[in-house]
Structures are given as C-alpha cells and as structure tokens.
Amino acid sequence: MAILKSHFFSLFPLLLLLLHFPTVSFAQTLFVFGDGLYDAGNKQFLSQNRVDASFSPYGVTVGQATGRWSDGSIVPDYLANFMGIPRISPILQTTADFSHGANFAIADASVLGSPPETMTLSQQVRKFLENKNKWTNQTRSEAIYLIYIGSDDYLNYAKNNPSPSDGQKQAFVDQVITTLKAEIKVVYGSGGRKFAFQNLAPLGCLPAVKQASGNVQECVKLPSEMAALHNKKLLQLLVELSRELSGFQYSFYDFFSSIQNRVIKSKTYTFETGIAACCGTGSINGSDCSAKNVCAKPEEYIFFDGKHLTQEANLQVGHLMWGADPEVIGPNNIRELMVLPLDITVILADIHKAMAAMRRRQSKIESLYDIKKMESEMENHWLYQVDKASSFMI
C-alpha cells in the first residue's frame, strides 16, 4: 500500500501537467467562410437587387427573416451556441459586435470565377485579412475556422459541361482544390490553426437540381459525382497540410453521406420527406420559394428551398459536427478540435521531462512499474490525437 501511495504522488506532477498545459485553450472565436448554407446575412448588404432571404417565408420558424437561407437558424449559429459564444454576425454588418469572430460566407459564393454580387473564397479571405487586427494574434490562433464552399462551382460546371471526360472532371476538381489550398495557407499565415470543414453535399440530390433535370425520382449523377471527387481530394489535402504545416489541425465532416442517408431514409431521421423542398413551385418545390408556396411544417423537411436546409436539418448537422464519432467526422469533432493544444510538441517535451524527473526520484518504483512503457503509451496517445487523420476514411 505504501508503495502504491508513493507511486500515486510521484504521478501527481504529471497529472497536474496534463491538466494545466499552457498551450491548451478553449476556442472562443469562430470565423465562417462559405456560400448560402452558411450566409448569416452578408448577401443583403452587398446586393443591389432583392435578396429573398431577407423576406418571408425565410425565417418563418423564428418569426422574422434575417438574411439566412433557411426557415430559421443555420449551422454556424448552432456551433456558436455549443461553443458558448454569441451568434457570429455577418462581416458586412458594420455595426455588429465582432468580439467572438465574423461570418464572411455569402450566398452564390464560389471558389473559382467571379460571380456578381457575391464574394469568392479569395475575396472572403481578403476581407478577413483587412479585418484581422480586430482580433489579437492569440485569438486568431485559438479560433475555429469553419468552411463550406464549392457547390456552385460544380453545379455550374455540370450545367455547362454535361458530358465531360474523366480527365476533364479531375482537372476541374484539381483547380478548385488548388485554390482552396492557397487560401487555407493564407489564413494559416495569419494565425489560423484550427480548421473545420463540412464536405460537399450530394449535389445531384438537391430539389432544384433534380427538378431542373426532369427526373425527380433519382439524384442527378454528374453533380454528385463531382462533389464526391472534390470531397476525396479535400480530405487528401487536409491530411497533407497537417503534415506540412506546423500546428495545423482540422475537423472533416462527411456531410455528403449525412444528406444522402436522409434523402434515402428520411423518416429514420425524423423527416417526412427528403425529396421535396418545403418552399417553392414545381413537382418537388425546387424553385421560386415565396410566402405563397411555403409548407405548414418546415421541420418535416430536409430542404427548405431548392438548395438550402431547414432549421431542423441544420440542427442535426450542427450536432454531428460538434460531437459525432469518427465514422461521421474526423480526426476530431469540433468539440475536440476546440480544446486541442496548439503545439503538440510542447506537450510531448513536457511529458518527457516529467517522466525523467519521476525516474530520478523513484528508482525503486521503476523496478515495480514499467515507466518507459507508460511514457510510450502516453506519447502514442497524444500523437494519435493529432495524426489519426491518416487512417480516417469517408
């Protein structure tokens, strides 16, 4: 008993070390980049034309339109709530409080090209750089950078190239990924370390896309195929960056499978339908959402309009991104990403120092307990938290 007691107190400094790493922090800042799925109202401040999301029936579930392309809350709203911070305001709302981050996402955004009345990913990142002094270096390094973009790139490509060769498809995906990589590196260069990616949905299953194809019974092949190619390349890119950039950490959510499962088995996930949108006209309400053609119960639908999710679907996505297991999101969910130490090498060095001190003080205990094995197991645990990306599969 005395030996066990002595052994416990010899471990006490190590336990304190693990509980009080100076590099461990809880992210209290969220930066959002993307398209209409994440737009918290930027479109209404940029466009000279009517922005549908600023009018009813958008926002119908929460009582008012807010510029969000849903009947209520969107994924970044829920993630901010789970993080314990206020909802993140659109960067173009100049009077807003940006103490906990900013939302740069805007409807119709793309990675490539220069569509009107929106901001490409490059322009969003440039806007972030213009405003980065609103936050300290430490705040930017501890923040979560949430990204969902690329849908419009592939929808437009599929529309303009109905029968591309495999080589042409891959070449276009490579263009998108190359630009993504460059912009991620720009954010990293400005202090960003923790990136959360929602991969692309099966784009051929969107009501707007199916309705336009004339076959509402089946998802359109090419847009979904392009999204799948993108998602595979995106994951490869993130693994590559985690090895190339010191301190780069990420979360990768398989949104593609989540939506596909809900479209096919909607009632399993509490929805009445995964085919038709709640609001719109046409055989599956795929276009022209207005107050005249909105459903009575948006919570029974996955899609609010032809391209965007209902509040209920956004809530489910938010929960999965926040706390799901590696079958859905990896190598870390956002809850884990939020508290990961910024520099794992500091942790390993401190563990080695603590173990060395233990060995010097407890030579007798070493004969009874395999300290080296313990050290190896602890080191492997921390390395696993950082490097398990290489074994993570969609």
Side-chain angles (χ1 to χ4, degrees):
M1 181 65 71
I3 291 176
L4 289 175
K5 184 176 180 181
S6 174
H7 180 60
F8 173 81
F9 282 106
S10 72
L11 284 174
F12 189 67
L14 179 61
L15 296 175
L16 287 178
L17 186 66
L18 294 173
L19 290 171
H20 297 285
F21 282 121
T23 51
V24 173
S25 61
F26 289 83
Q28 291 292 287
T29 309
L30 178 64
F31 297 111
V32 183
F33 301 86
D35 59 21
L37 218 62
Y38 282 178
D39 187 355
N42 278 313
K43 186 75 169 183
Q44 63 189 339
F45 295 107
L46 186 62
S47 178
Q48 299 298 313
N49 300 307
R50 172 191 165 92
V51 175
D52 290 341
S54 299
F55 300 91
S56 178
Y58 290 92
V60 63
T61 297
V62 294
Q64 63 175 343
T66 62
R68 290 167 171 80
W69 298 82
S70 178
D71 58 305
S73 299
I74 55 177
V75 170
D77 297 330
Y78 289 114
L79 293 178
N81 181 57
F82 298 154
M83 290 172 67
I85 61 177
R87 292 187 174 192
I88 305 303
S89 299
I91 190 63
L92 298 182
Q93 185 182 353
T94 55
T95 58
D97 178 5
F98 297 111
S99 57
H100 289 280
N103 187 317
F104 301 88
I106 183 168
D108 305 316
S110 61
V111 177
L112 304 178
S114 54
E117 296 191 328
T118 187
M119 292 188 290
T120 62
L121 178 60
S122 298
Q123 291 170 323
Q124 292 177 35
V125 170
R126 193 175 308 133
K127 182 68 70 172
F128 166 71
L129 296 180
E130 291 170 1
N131 289 273
K132 72 176 186 177
N133 290 334
K134 286 182 169 67
W135 308 279
T136 65
N137 291 341
Q138 181 176 351
T139 296
R140 294 198 307 272
S141 68
E142 294 173 348
I144 301 293
Y145 294 81
L146 178 66
I147 302 173
Y148 179 86
I149 196 166
S151 295
D152 282 344
D153 293 273
Y154 296 114
L155 289 173
N156 292 333
Y157 180 84
K159 182 178 180 180
N160 297 324
N161 301 272
S163 301
S165 67
D166 290 343
Q168 289 171 327
K169 287 182 282 190
Q170 193 61 66
F172 186 77
V173 172
D174 287 343
Q175 277 186 275
V176 174
I177 294 297
T178 297
T179 303
L180 261 174
K181 179 179 181 179
E183 298 307 327
I184 292 169
K185 283 191 167 185
V186 171
V187 174
Y188 175 89
S190 293
R193 293 296 181 269
K194 299 185 177 188
F195 294 81
F197 286 84
Q198 179 176 334
N199 76 8
L200 298 184
L203 301 175
C205 296
L206 300 179
V209 177
K210 293 171 69 175
Q211 185 168 298
S213 75
N215 182 4
V216 299
Q217 299 304 316
E218 297 180 4
C219 296
V220 182
K221 181 180 178 181
L222 181 57
S224 291
E225 184 182 5
M226 297 297 289
L229 288 171
H230 170 92
N231 293 342
K232 181 179 179 180
K233 284 285 187 178
L234 176 59
L235 181 55
Q236 291 173 351
L237 171 63
L238 297 178
V239 173
E240 172 191 328
L241 291 176
S242 69
R243 294 169 176 166
E244 175 185 334
L245 303 178
S246 176
F248 181 90
Q249 301 166 352
Y250 71 92
S251 176
F252 181 87
Y253 165 54
D254 188 7
F255 183 52
F256 187 102
S257 294
S258 292
I259 291 300
Q260 193 169 58
N261 291 340
R262 283 160 177 75
V263 168
I264 296 171
K265 301 177 181 179
S266 55
K267 292 188 178 180
T268 300
Y269 298 93
T270 74
F271 300 105
E272 285 300 313
T273 178
I275 298 175
C278 163
C279 181
T281 60
S283 55
I284 52 174
N285 302 331
S287 61
D288 302 320
C289 174
S290 72
K292 297 178 181 179
N293 49 44
V294 63
C295 69
K297 297 181 178 180
E299 68 274 12
E300 295 182 350
Y301 292 76
I302 297 171
F303 299 103
F304 182 66
D305 63 15
K307 293 175 63 176
H308 305 101
L309 303 183
T310 59
Q311 173 175 272
E312 178 60 29
N314 282 323
L315 174 60
Q316 292 189 17
V317 169
H319 274 297
L320 291 171
M321 295 187 75
W322 177 250
D325 62 34
E327 291 184 3
V328 177
I329 186 168
N332 313 282
N333 57 43
I334 294 180
R335 181 175 57 191
E336 294 166 339
L337 184 67
M338 192 176 144
V339 298
L340 273 182
L342 292 173
D343 189 350
I344 199 69
T345 60
V346 174
I347 292 178
L348 295 178
D350 287 344
I351 288 176
H352 287 309
K353 289 178 183 177
M355 290 296 188
M358 287 171 57
R359 284 196 296 270
R360 288 194 297 270
R361 293 194 303 267
Q362 300 292 334
S363 58
K364 289 185 180 181
I365 293 176
E366 285 185 19
S367 64
L368 298 175
Y369 297 90
D370 190 347
I371 300 297
K372 286 187 177 181
K373 181 179 179 182
M374 184 189 306
E375 178 182 359
S376 176
E377 289 176 349
M378 295 190 72
E379 178 177 344
N380 288 338
H381 169 75
W382 286 105
L383 287 173
Y384 174 73
Q385 295 301 319
V386 172
D387 199 43
K388 60 183 177 180
S390 59
S391 62
F392 172 70
M393 301 295 289
I394 293 180

